[in-house]
Amino acid sequence: MTTIYIIIVVFLLLLAVFDLFVGVSNDAVNFLNSSVGSRVAKWRTLLILAAVGVLVGALMSSGMMDVARHGIMQPQNFSFADVMTVFLAVMVTDVIVLDRFNSMGLPTSTTVSLVFELFGAATLLSFFRMAEEPTLAYADLINTDKCLSVIVAIFVSVAIAFICGLVLQWLSRLIFTFQHSKVCGLAVSIFGGLSFTVLAYFIFIKGLGGSPFISADARAWVAEHTLSLMSVIFLVSVVISYVLTLARVGVFKVVVLMGTFALAMAFAGNDLVNFIGVPYAGYEAFQNWYASGCPDADSFMMTSLQGSAKSPWLFLFLAGIIMILALAFSRKAMNVIKTSVDLSRQDEGDEMFGSSRAARSVVRMVESWAEGSNRFVPRRMRVWVARRFDNRVVDMPEGAAFDVVRAAVNLVVASVLIVIGTSYKLPLSTTYVTFMVAMGTSLADKAWGRETAVFRVTGVMSVIGGWFLTAAVAFIASAIVCAIMHFCGFVAMFLLMALAIFVIIKSNFSKSEEEEKVAQNVRSAHNVDLVDRKDFCLNMANEDTRSMQTALTIFDDIVDGFFDRRIRPLRRMETSILSARCDLDSKRRRELQEYSKLVNQGNESDTSVWLHLDVDCRGQYFHSLRRMLEPIKNHVDNGFNPAPRSVVEEFAPLRRQVAELFAETDQMIQSGNYADYESLRVLANELRKRLKAVRHAHMVQMQNGFDRSSFKVMMVYINLLRETQNLVNTLRHHMEAAKCFNNPVNISPEEMEIINNSEY
């Protein structure tokens, strides 16, 4: 039995290493998003600064927060076997849950995941304990007050952080505008003094005040003279900031670098428990059980975990080294940072989130409120504020997501909120605070314009939803894992531990081209690289052919479903068309952004009309297919008369010609050789006229007398002919747009006249 528990403890410590790696991948966004987004320094410099902060924070940690020992459970009523099962279930669940969120690029809270995993596993075992001992109540086994405080803190911290970031950034922008280099040096000096004072308090009072390396007398003296120390630091900081301003050294840049160090240190010193608190508590529980002579694990109660624990400095040092390695090599960290930076980007970027109905409703509501409130603001005031918020010219490095003013406000406001929350003993999540402050400041900076607001709001709502989903998933998953371990014993424990290690190794050490691309973008800080026209045209051709191939596949399935009277393929086509439309919308935004960069480079002729026509043709395919599908699906679903055999035979050659025309156009656009353009255009016109003639013939036949039993199916068939004609017409315009965009100088006046006179 002792050997088995030794193995479990070793696995707990091993999982702690993975948890540190995964946790840093998630929490790196807390202290790197502002410095990365504003590009105050090279990636290597930021990494070194953050690494030093992480190592100092780990070494100066005040020891283990007791949440794993008695913050959730009442350990005196749990046996050694129970707590080891809970701790193991928590660790297995934690590394998998956090890794999944990191893979999706969604920053979540390690604090909330840990608490709810402990809550879920301990709750399950509590039910078993209450069943065994009816005298025990739920409150005797679970610290309900602590759990409730965490849940309340989630709602409070999200709202307060967003509002504080919004208001303080609006005031800061009103003072410094988007051209902070032209602002009075005194204002910058006062801001620098306040920022340095807050960050100094954050570093020295909060970060180092509880360190085991600081004597009790020194801590008492600092606590007694805190106000005097902060006053002196403020005055000295104002003077230093003014001198730096005279020397043309960026005060905001210094604030951002100092804030990055402060948050990195606070993260390691305070959130370290989220990664190693549970394994260390399991290690101490084993030591206490072993020191007692290894009694029965099911009857040895863990009263010893009621006391506070202090971890050795070597343990903290090793944890800090692992966190630094994770920070340097984790691709998932880059992915999470990119999400936060893109959602707060000042200009339009590659919006990774689509539009949602809820986001559109929120945006319309805010716009209506803003328009209504403007009536109560004097015109001169509106003009003055608009002039202060003029962002047509912004002082920031090329390619930065936002300027150093916003980055400095992000870090200072987040630091203040974390200090206040800690002083009131609120279990704030650093992830929640830093992310929501960044979202509030970006909204105040009008980064969420009309062209991006719905996408940004959707992204924020997705991230916030992910936070609450984290709590639910952590609670349920941990309870399930704990139940499996409780009923299946050591075999299930070892299998689940092996599964967790396999998932983490596969996810973090297997190569992923997309993650490598994201990581390279963040490291090199070149998200706005120059666009090569040849590459852009190649990507356009690939998207054109992909759209045509998808449209032709859906067309074939719709026709087969109609003639063969199969409803299931027709129902699947609804989803396929919707998915294709969403994919096109996302790619269209990215292509238009890249094209604008191409135009800004100054080496692009005016081909925007052809680009928009090309992109619009892709969408027109699916509009026609949707109009084609709806009556066919209703007809087949209702079990109406099938299409006559003569109709099936009549449409077969037309269908074959459509497929051949799509294939030849696809090949022409993909190859970039438009030698056959004229012949394909003629074929498209002839096919379009043929479809029109067949449709008109059936309409005339119906007017001159027709079998009334076939009326409905013939109306559906006529609609099929009309939408097939629209498909061919769209294809004809698509090949015209592709040729004109790729070879604008080779268009003859005769061709231009034909194009201008064509119907679309």
Side-chain angles (χ1 to χ4, degrees), residues 16-26 322 325-326 329-330 508-509:
V17 175
F18 285 113
D19 206 24
L20 281 166
F21 198 93
V22 175
V24 173
S25 299
N26 175 81
I322 294 171
L325 294 175
F329 297 107
S330 174
N508 289 276
F509 297 99

Side-chain angles (χ1 to χ4, degrees), residues 417-437:
L417 292 177
I418 293 172
V419 168
I420 294 174
T422 304
S423 63
Y424 284 98
K425 301 187 183 302
L426 292 175
L428 291 181
S429 166
T430 54
T431 302
Y432 292 2
V433 170
T434 53
F435 181 84
M436 292 310 297
V437 167

